[in-house]
Amino acid sequence: MKRFRNPVLAALLAGGACLSGMAAGFSAAMPAWADQTDPRLNPLFERLRATESPEPARLVELMIWRFWTESGSAEIDDLMSAGAAAMEQGDFAEARNLLDQVIAARPTFAEAWNRRATMFYLAGDYPASLADIEHVLELEPRHFGALSGLGLVNLALGREEAALDAFGRVLALYPANEAARSNRDAIERQLKERDI
């Protein structure tokens, strides 16, 4: 798997730009174009909710990301990859330009909105990130990546209770998500200490 220099970027792009290695075995079962509307996601989400061990859950997560990131267009895929590369380099203007093109071409492609929300978060534009996360969740309410991003943005804005809610929503979909559990537990400890 590709290692991103920025650990936040790596976490937020997990699955999207980093699928090729672990998920390669699932390629034959996947269609040429499978986005957040594919009905085959439903049993994967059921399995994700029922899986308590992190490693098996991670494999299910990778399968879900594979559906979410398939655009069915080489041009769109190239723009998405270039946008991720620009984010990694810290070139947020170029990342935005590329992701704006994807959204203009495919406004119902939830992962394009999620990537741009990530870019806005990394650039420190939290209101724009929140607006894009809202679009993602309208298109795919189960998008645990966007919900994790929602938690991180709310933490950055000092909205601990909203962040706690977002990480709780991740765990309702994906109980084995260790990052969401760790964030939730840390916020709960912080809120308890504040109340003492």
Side-chain angles (χ1 to χ4, degrees):
M1 280 191 173
K2 183 173 181 181
R3 298 278 182 219
F4 288 97
R5 286 188 295 271
N6 184 321
V8 173
L9 178 60
L12 292 173
L13 292 179
C18 307
L19 276 175
S20 57
M22 287 181 71
F26 304 123
S27 299
M30 295 296 174
W33 180 7
D35 64 10
Q36 74 277 354
T37 63
D38 195 300
R40 288 173 293 176
L41 281 165
N42 296 332
L44 290 174
F45 273 100
E46 289 173 16
R47 192 179 325 164
L48 191 66
R49 268 191 296 275
T51 305
E52 295 180 15
S53 179
E55 284 306 311
R58 177 70 175 144
L59 292 175
V60 177
E61 175 191 348
L62 288 171
M63 292 174 74
I64 291 169
W65 277 111
R66 181 71 184 263
F67 278 99
W68 282 345
T69 57
E70 290 291 327
S71 74
S73 162
E75 182 180 356
I76 295 290
D77 292 345
D78 288 347
L79 289 168
M80 291 284 282
S81 294
M87 276 193 275
E88 184 183 355
Q89 298 297 321
D91 188 348
F92 301 127
E94 178 63 6
R96 179 171 184 176
N97 172 49
L98 293 162
L99 295 169
D100 284 351
Q101 291 178 54
V102 175
I103 289 168
R106 286 266 173 84
T108 60
F109 186 30
E111 189 53 27
W113 292 96
N114 186 52
R115 291 284 176 89
R116 199 174 71 173
T118 300
M119 182 276 303
F120 282 132
Y121 171 79
L122 293 170
D125 189 344
Y126 302 134
S129 184
L130 288 172
D132 277 4
I133 289 169
E134 185 176 323
H135 279 286
V136 178
L137 296 175
E138 285 172 5
L139 293 165
E140 172 54 282
R142 304 169 299 185
H143 201 300
F144 46 77
L147 288 168
S148 292
L150 181 61
L152 293 173
V153 172
N154 278 306
L155 274 179
L157 291 170
R159 301 174 181 167
E160 290 89 355
E161 299 213 359
L164 186 65
D165 177 70
F167 292 123
R169 289 167 68 187
V170 173
L171 291 168
L173 294 163
Y174 184 173
N177 188 305
E178 294 174 317
R181 186 173 308 285
S182 176
N183 282 320
R184 183 201 63 187
D185 293 349
I187 296 167
E188 286 178 343
R189 282 193 301 274
Q190 186 177 354
L191 291 173
K192 282 179 186 173
E193 289 169 7
R194 183 183 301 167
D195 291 342
I196 294 174

